[in-house]
C-alpha cells in the first residue's frame, strides 16, 4: 500500500507465534474477556510485533514485618520463559520508560515510592532461562495506625495514672480503674493481633503494645503497694500512739514519786538529790543534714502518700523516656536513611 498502512491489526492472536512467558511468583490470575477479549496485536512493516493483553494477577510478596507498621516493603513482578532457553529466547527491557504506572494509583495503606527494573535470568538443570523483574517499593501509611492503635493505647495509660491522684483509702475506685484499663488494653492487643499474620519474631507494634500493657499493669501494682503502705501506716500510728500513752504514764509516775526506784525512763536518766529535787540528763541524738529530696518527701506524713507522689513523677517520666527511645530507634533506622537506588 506504499506506506499508507502503518500496521496491521489482528483480532486472532492464535495465528502468530508468542513467547511462553509466565509469572513465576503468581498465586492466581485471570484474563478479561468482557465484552470481547482484551487483546491488542499489531504487525509493523519492518517485522516488529506488538502484543498487548489485559490480565489481573495476585502475586506473592514475602514481607519482613520487623518494623511493622513503620516498615517499607519491596514486592516483585517476575516474568520468565518457561520452556525456551536463552539460546532461543531472550527478554529485554524496552529502552526509556519500560514501566508505566497510572497517576491515579491510590492504595489504602501503602504508597508506591519507586519501582526498579532488573534482570533475573536463572540457571537450572535444564538450561538457562531469561527473566525480567520489576521491584515495587511500598511505604506503609502510618496515619491509620497512629489514630487506631498508638493514640488509644497512650490514652489508656493516661487514664490509669488518674489513680495516683485518688485517695489511698478509695479502694473500690482505684481497683476498678486499674482493672478496667488493664482489660481494655488486653482487648486492644487482641484486636491488633487478630488482624496481623502470625510471625515468629517481635514487631515494632508488639514492642509498643507490650510496653503500654506494662505501664497499665504497673499502675495497678502501684495501688497494691500503696494499700499495703497505708495499712502499715495505720499500724505504726496505733503503735506510736500506744507508746506515747505509755511514756505519759511513766512520766506521771516519776513526777508523783511512784516509780520503781530505778529512775530510768525513755526520756533520759533521772536521779533524786538529797534536797528532794530531781535532776535530768537528756541524751540528744545528733541531727543529720538531709538532702532536698528527703526534705520534700518529709512534707507528706504517710508512706502511702509518698508513693503516690513519686508515681506521679516516675510513671510519666518513664513513659516519655520510652517514647524517646522507641521513636528514635524506629524512625531513624539505617534502612530509612539509605537512599533508594
Amino acid at each position: 500500500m506504499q506506506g499508507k498502512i502503518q500496521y496491521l491489526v489482528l483480532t486472532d492472536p492464535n495465528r502468530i507465534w508468542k513467547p511462553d512467558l509466565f509469572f513465576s511468583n503468581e498465586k492466581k490470575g485471570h484474563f478479561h474477556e468482557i465484552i470481547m477479549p482484551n487483546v491488542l496485536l499489531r504487525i509493523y512493516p519492518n517485522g516488529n510485533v506488538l502484543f498487548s493483553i489485559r490480565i489481573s494477577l495476585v502475586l506473592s510478596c514475602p514481607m519482613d514485618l520487623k518494623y511493622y507498621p513503620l516498615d517499607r516493603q519491596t514486592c516483585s513482578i517476575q516474568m520468565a520463559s518457561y520452556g525456551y532457553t536463552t539460546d532461543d529466547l531472550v527478554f529485554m527491557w524496552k529502552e526509556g520508560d519500560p514501566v508505566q504506572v497510572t497517576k491515579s494509583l491510590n492504595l489504602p495503606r501503602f504508597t508506591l515510592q519507586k519501582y526498579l527494573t532488573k534482570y533475573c535470568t536463572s540457571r537450572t538443570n535444564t538450561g538457562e532461562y531469561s527473566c525480567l523483574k520489576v521491584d515495587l517499593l511500598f511505604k506503609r501509611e502510618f496515619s491509620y495506625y497512629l489514630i487506631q492503635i498508638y493514640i488509644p493505647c497512650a490514652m489508656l495509660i493516661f487514664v490509669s495514672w488518674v489513680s495516683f491522684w485518688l485517695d489511698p483509702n478509695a479502694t473500690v475506685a482505684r481497683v476498678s480503674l486499674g482493672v478496667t484499663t488493664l482489660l481494655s488494653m488486653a482487648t486492644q492487643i487482641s484486636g491488633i493481633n487478630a488482624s496481623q499474620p502470625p510471625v515468629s519474631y517481635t514487631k515494632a507494634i508488639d514492642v509498643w503494645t507490650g510496653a503500654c500493657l506494662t505501664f497499665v499493669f504497673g499502675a495497678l501494682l502501684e495501688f497494691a503497694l500503696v494499700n499495703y503502705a497505708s495499712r502499715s501506716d495505720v499500724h505504726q500510728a496505733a503503735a506510736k500512739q500506744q507508746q506515747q500513752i505509755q511514756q505519759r504514764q511513766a512520766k506521771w509516775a516519776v513526777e508523783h514519786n511512784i516509780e520503781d526506784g530505778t529512775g530510768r525512763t525513755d526520756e533520759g536518766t533521772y536521779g533524786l538529790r538529797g534536797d528532794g529535787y530531781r535532776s535530768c540528763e537528756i541524751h540528744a541524738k545528733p541531727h543529720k543534714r538531709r538532702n532536698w529530696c528527703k526534705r520534700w518527701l518529709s512534707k507528706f506524713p504517710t508512706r502511702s502518700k509518698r508513693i503516690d507522689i513519686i508515681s506521679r513523677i516516675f510513671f510519666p517520666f518513664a513513659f516519655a523516656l520510652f517514647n524517646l527511645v522507641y521513636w528514635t530507634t524506629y524512625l531513624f533506622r539505617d534502612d530509612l536513611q539509605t537512599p533508594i537506588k
Side-chain angles (χ1 to χ4, degrees):
M1 300 295 293
Q2 300 179 355
K4 294 182 180 180
I5 300 178
Q6 297 181 356
Y7 52 80
L8 296 177
V9 178
L10 299 183
T11 57
D12 186 8
N14 295 324
R15 298 180 62 181
I16 65 169
W17 175 88
K18 298 183 293 297
D20 58 343
L21 182 142
F22 79 105
F23 295 88
S24 58
N25 59 338
E26 174 198 359
K27 297 182 67 176
K28 62 180 180 179
H30 65 274
F31 297 100
H32 294 266
E33 297 183 353
I34 300 176
I35 299 177
M36 295 291 292
N38 298 168
V39 177
L40 172 63
L41 180 61
R42 292 177 182 177
I43 300 178
Y44 292 88
N46 59 359
N48 291 341
V49 177
L50 172 63
F51 179 71
S52 175
I53 187 171
R54 182 172 176 236
I55 58 177
S56 294
L57 299 173
V58 177
L59 305 174
S60 63
C61 179
M63 293 187 178
D64 184 6
L65 300 176
K66 182 170 59 176
Y67 299 110
Y68 174 88
L70 301 168
D71 56 335
R72 295 193 304 182
Q73 303 294 338
T74 301
C75 296
S76 301
I77 303 176
Q78 299 177 5
M79 299 161 284
S81 173
Y82 192 82
Y84 293 102
T85 64
T86 53
D87 296 334
D88 302 320
L89 178 63
V90 176
F91 293 128
M92 298 183 64
W93 284 112
K94 180 182 178 181
E95 296 182 358
D97 190 11
V99 179
Q100 291 85 37
V101 179
T102 176
K103 295 182 179 179
S104 60
L105 180 65
N106 186 15
L107 301 177
R109 296 190 181 183
F110 288 94
T111 299
L112 179 61
Q113 289 189 316
K114 197 173 182 179
Y115 56 88
L116 304 173
T117 56
K118 299 179 180 179
Y119 292 93
C120 54
T121 301
S122 60
R123 180 181 295 273
T124 63
N125 294 334
T126 57
E128 186 180 63
Y129 299 90
S130 181
C131 175
L132 299 179
K133 181 180 180 181
V134 183
D135 287 338
L136 305 174
L137 183 60
F138 294 98
K139 179 182 178 183
R140 196 181 301 272
E141 290 290 345
F142 180 67
S143 58
Y144 169 80
Y145 301 94
L146 179 65
I147 297 174
Q148 297 293 328
I149 297 177
Y150 283 83
I151 292 180
C153 290
M155 293 178 65
L156 287 176
I157 293 179
F158 299 154
V159 172
S160 68
W161 293 347
V162 175
S163 63
F164 303 154
W165 274 265
L166 297 180
D167 186 78
N169 297 323
T171 305
V172 176
R174 298 188 68 161
V175 170
S176 300
L177 183 62
V179 172
T180 301
T181 53
L182 185 62
L183 294 178
S184 299
M185 181 61 68
T187 304
Q188 181 84 355
I189 294 176
S190 300
I192 295 172
N193 294 332
S195 61
Q196 300 174 13
V199 293
S200 59
Y201 48 85
T202 302
K203 305 181 291 293
I205 197 170
D206 295 335
V207 176
W208 174 264
T209 55
C212 292
L213 185 63
T214 302
F215 276 103
V216 174
F217 185 68
L220 184 60
L221 290 182
E222 188 269 349
F223 169 68
L225 183 60
V226 167
N227 185 263
Y228 174 78
S230 178
R231 287 185 284 109
S232 298
D233 292 337
V234 173
H235 294 322
Q236 289 180 0
K240 186 177 181 181
Q241 186 178 6
Q242 184 66 25
Q243 184 180 8
Q244 291 177 353
I245 294 174
Q246 293 176 357
Q247 290 177 355
R248 293 194 191 100
Q249 291 177 352
K251 185 176 180 181
W252 182 86
V254 171
E255 290 178 352
H256 290 77
N257 211 1
I258 60 173
E259 185 66 19
D260 59 359
T262 59
R264 183 179 299 274
T265 64
D266 294 336
E267 297 295 332
T269 303
Y270 295 87
L272 297 178
R273 297 181 186 175
D275 55 1
Y277 291 97
R278 302 177 180 86
S279 63
C280 176
E281 295 178 3
I282 303 297
H283 301 281
K285 296 181 180 180
H287 177 70
K288 295 182 179 180
R289 185 178 181 182
R290 295 178 296 180
N291 56 21
W292 65 271
C293 184
K294 292 183 178 180
R295 292 198 304 270
W296 178 67
L297 290 177
S298 64
K299 298 179 181 179
F300 308 100
T302 60
R303 287 189 302 171
S304 58
K305 189 64 176 179
R306 294 173 188 173
I307 295 174
D308 276 339
I309 294 299
I310 294 175
S311 299
R312 295 176 189 177
I313 301 174
F314 173 76
F315 275 82
F317 176 77
F319 187 65
L321 182 62
F322 165 72
N323 275 270
L324 178 63
V325 175
Y326 181 87
W327 297 112
T328 302
T329 301
Y330 288 106
L331 290 181
F332 300 98
R333 59 184 188 269
D334 295 336
D335 63 326
L336 291 181
Q337 305 302 320
T338 304
I340 303 173
K341 298 181 180 180

